Amino acid sequence: MNVVLWLLLAVPLAGALLLAAGRRLVPDAAVAAVGAVVGGVTLALAVVLAAAFDYGAAHRVQFETDVAWIPAIDVRWHLGLDGISVPMVLLTALLAFLCLLYTTRIAPEAGRTRGLVALVFLLEVGMLGTFVAFDLIVFFLFFEVVLIPMWFVIAGWGDPHDGPGRRRAATTFILYTLLGSAVMLLGFLLVYAGAGTFDLTELAAGGGRGIAHGTQVLAAVAIGLGLAVKSPMWPLHSWLPDAHAKAPTIGSVLLAGVLLKMGTYGFVRVWLPVVPDGARAVAPYLAGLATVGILYGALACLRQGELKRLIAYSSVGHMGFVLLGIATLTPVGVNGALFAGVAHGLITGLLFFLAGAIKDRHGTGDLVRLGGGLYSRMPRLAGLFVFGAVASLGLPGLAGFWGEMLAMFGAFQPAASLGRTTYLVLMVLAGLGTVLTAAYFLVLVRRLCQGADTIGPSLAVARDVTAVEVVAWAPLVLLTLVLGLYPRAVLAITEPAVQVLVGR
């Protein structure tokens, strides 16, 4: 199975190199099909790893490769899977495959599909590598690999009507994340200076041993800032709305579905177990900023007039719940955060697919120009959009409910070292955020889907959901239902590993 884990990274990388080799090996007409096949193979490898995973020992690193890479500073090529990694690897492989499948229907201008598909492959390598890395430097390298491909995806294949705007959004994205990553690397070096190793399994087992309390606090702040930019935490979120508004559909799906989770995953994988004393000192501030993000995201959504920007701001609020769960420093809260991350990837990935389909059909995402009456024009697309909206607002029985509920339950009874009164206030405010979330999604549904068809004749398009779209979106709908009815499908995997990392 170690070989399968290597293939999981090698197959999309080989796909990118194959497309880069030119038209002799892969003609332009076959690029999208090759992309879907390579994405399907990668997803199959992820499923094989998940099927072979020993869930009775989900706390242990499995399918492990651990060899010296840079001996001078003890950097090791240390890869593996545990119960925290498995759901994220499956989510990443699934969303990448669905995005590649979607390109067989929604392709960019002639001759440009090759570059887009190759960039998605590179993104997949970086995303998957982040979730299987167990060395801080290897984690950092994979964490950074996604930046340049995503810049090109946004700047080169984003909003065709706003070239300067999409390049500005891409540049803002990369500047924010590069600066955050530089600060995070300083935190990693502080950890190495105290503990003498970059190995995450050793650092987690040591629980901060050898790192002075003051150093842990500094490292927790530095690492937390770097991860918070990617998460995105208020007030470091301002790169996100423009990036989503200008990105192509598949760029928005991968950005919301996976890239944001790389930040919150880093909080669980690195921040909590490696510098636990520092995490305890910083956690109340993280919880406070997360709660502000929940309320800010919801209030911003009530004022948005562009569909993709609205969904982007909703992500700020939803990721606030993830960060709040992590900041409780309890197994309940952290498990809720991990579940909420998976659910957000499925639901917001679906919403961005749908928003992209609406924009493709009408040539705009402006809610005033789109008007109402989507039910009458495209009833199937409207029905799917309503499903995504009610899942995102946290309707019980759908996946969006459980993670937010567990995060607030963790805030109700945070770790003993934290002030419970403060967290109770934050829990109440987060609860208010769920009410505002329901309000803006219901307003959006009424405004976009219901009422008379008020769209102008120049935008009227009768085409409803196509067969390729059904295939690409159906897994997200199905998994949102399954995880809503049976959340243990994820929680049973993450719980043993979380208990080891934060349940001491």
Side-chain angles (χ1 to χ4, degrees), residues 200-440:
L200 277 167
T201 54
E202 292 183 29
L203 290 167
R209 186 172 58 246
I211 309 174
H213 179 80
T215 303
Q216 285 203 40
V217 173
L218 286 175
V221 171
I223 295 169
L225 284 173
L227 297 171
V229 171
K230 190 71 74 75
S231 294
M233 181 186 75
W234 182 92
L236 304 174
H237 70 285
S238 55
W239 61 269
L240 182 70
D242 281 343
H244 273 305
K246 303 304 180 183
T249 297
I250 62 174
S252 291
V253 171
L254 292 176
L255 184 59
V258 184
L259 263 69
L260 305 190
K261 313 308 175 301
M262 291 167 63
T264 54
Y265 172 86
F267 273 104
V268 178
R269 172 65 68 204
V270 179
W271 191 76
L272 288 176
V274 172
V275 285
D277 292 343
R280 278 190 289 272
V282 176
Y285 303 98
L286 176 64
L289 293 173
T291 306
V292 172
I294 294 169
L295 296 172
Y296 171 84
L299 292 171
C301 284
L302 289 169
R303 297 176 56 85
Q304 292 305 306
E306 203 279 332
L307 185 56
K308 290 183 73 175
R309 288 180 69 88
L310 188 151
I311 299 171
Y313 274 109
S314 78
S315 291
V316 175
H318 290 307
M319 298 310 289
F321 280 102
V322 176
L323 293 170
L324 177 61
I326 292 169
T328 67
L329 307 185
T330 63
V332 170
V334 174
N335 274 302
L338 292 169
F339 188 95
V342 173
H344 179 266
L346 298 172
I347 297 167
T348 307
L350 175 63
L351 283 173
F352 273 118
F353 268 132
L354 295 167
I358 292 170
K359 190 171 182 178
D360 288 340
R361 284 159 169 78
H362 300 90
T364 183
D366 184 84
L367 292 173
V368 173
R369 294 189 66 200
L370 287 171
L374 193 64
Y375 279 140
S376 60
R377 292 197 305 278
M378 288 171 277
R380 295 181 181 86
L381 185 59
L384 285 168
F385 189 84
V386 172
F387 174 84
V390 297
S392 191
L393 65 82
L395 185 73
L398 298 176
F401 171 74
W402 294 106
E404 295 181 2
M405 188 272 289
L406 288 172
M408 288 194 289
F409 190 76
F412 178 75
Q413 191 68 56
S417 58
L418 303 175
R420 190 181 182 209
T421 302
T422 299
Y423 277 78
L424 287 175
V425 172
L426 297 177
M427 181 194 73
V428 172
L429 293 174
L432 175 61
T434 64
V435 176
L436 294 173
T437 300
Y440 71 71

Side-chain angles (χ1 to χ4, degrees), residues 1 4 8 40-53 55 63 81 86 89-90 93-94:
M1 283 298 138
V4 178
L8 185 72
V41 171
T42 306
L43 175 60
L45 291 170
V47 171
V48 168
L49 287 170
F53 189 78
Y55 294 98
F63 317 136
L81 283 178
V86 169
V89 166
L90 290 172
L94 174 65

Side-chain angles (χ1 to χ4, degrees), residues 1-310:
M1 283 298 138
N2 299 45
V3 174
V4 178
L5 183 60
W6 278 76
L7 288 174
L8 185 72
L9 302 176
V11 167
L13 180 59
L17 295 175
L18 180 65
L19 294 181
R23 294 178 174 82
R24 289 187 177 182
L25 291 179
V26 183
D28 285 344
V31 167
V34 169
V37 170
V38 173
V41 171
T42 306
L43 175 60
L45 291 170
V47 171
V48 168
L49 287 170
F53 189 78
D54 181 3
Y55 294 98
H59 61 284
R60 182 171 53 84
V61 181
Q62 303 178 35
F63 317 136
E64 195 170 14
T65 297
D66 185 7
V67 295
W69 186 29
I70 309 176
I73 55 173
D74 195 29
V75 174
R76 306 189 65 79
W77 188 253
H78 192 178
L79 308 178
L81 283 178
D82 67 357
I84 295 172
S85 306
V86 169
M88 300 312 303
V89 166
L90 290 172
L91 176 67
T92 301
L94 174 65
L95 287 177
F97 168 64
L98 296 181
C99 286
L100 291 164
L101 180 64
Y102 195 68
T103 62
T104 63
R105 179 198 175 277
I106 306 294
E109 303 93 297
R112 301 190 68 213
T113 311
R114 179 183 305 274
L116 180 61
V117 173
L119 289 169
V120 171
F121 286 149
L122 293 177
L123 282 169
E124 188 171 19
V125 173
M127 294 183 298
L128 289 170
T130 300
F131 298 130
V132 301
F134 281 85
D135 182 279
L136 283 176
I137 299 301
V138 177
F139 173 90
F140 178 81
L141 293 176
F142 279 121
F143 197 84
E144 297 302 287
V145 161
V146 302
L147 300 185
I148 300 300
M150 183 55 75
W151 186 92
F152 279 107
V153 168
I154 298 171
W157 284 265
D159 188 344
H161 306 297
D162 188 6
R166 73 193 189 207
R167 285 189 289 273
R168 184 170 56 251
T171 302
T172 302
F173 156 75
I174 201 167
L175 288 177
Y176 264 80
T177 48
L178 278 176
L179 181 59
S181 297
V183 176
M184 182 175 70
L185 181 59
L186 291 176
F188 289 172
L189 295 176
L190 286 172
V191 169
Y192 178 76
T197 182
F198 288 114
D199 190 270
L200 277 167
T201 54
E202 292 183 29
L203 290 167
R209 186 172 58 246
I211 309 174
H213 179 80
T215 303
Q216 285 203 40
V217 173
L218 286 175
V221 171
I223 295 169
L225 284 173
L227 297 171
V229 171
K230 190 71 74 75
S231 294
M233 181 186 75
W234 182 92
L236 304 174
H237 70 285
S238 55
W239 61 269
L240 182 70
D242 281 343
H244 273 305
K246 303 304 180 183
T249 297
I250 62 174
S252 291
V253 171
L254 292 176
L255 184 59
V258 184
L259 263 69
L260 305 190
K261 313 308 175 301
M262 291 167 63
T264 54
Y265 172 86
F267 273 104
V268 178
R269 172 65 68 204
V270 179
W271 191 76
L272 288 176
V274 172
V275 285
D277 292 343
R280 278 190 289 272
V282 176
Y285 303 98
L286 176 64
L289 293 173
T291 306
V292 172
I294 294 169
L295 296 172
Y296 171 84
L299 292 171
C301 284
L302 289 169
R303 297 176 56 85
Q304 292 305 306
E306 203 279 332
L307 185 56
K308 290 183 73 175
R309 288 180 69 88
L310 188 151

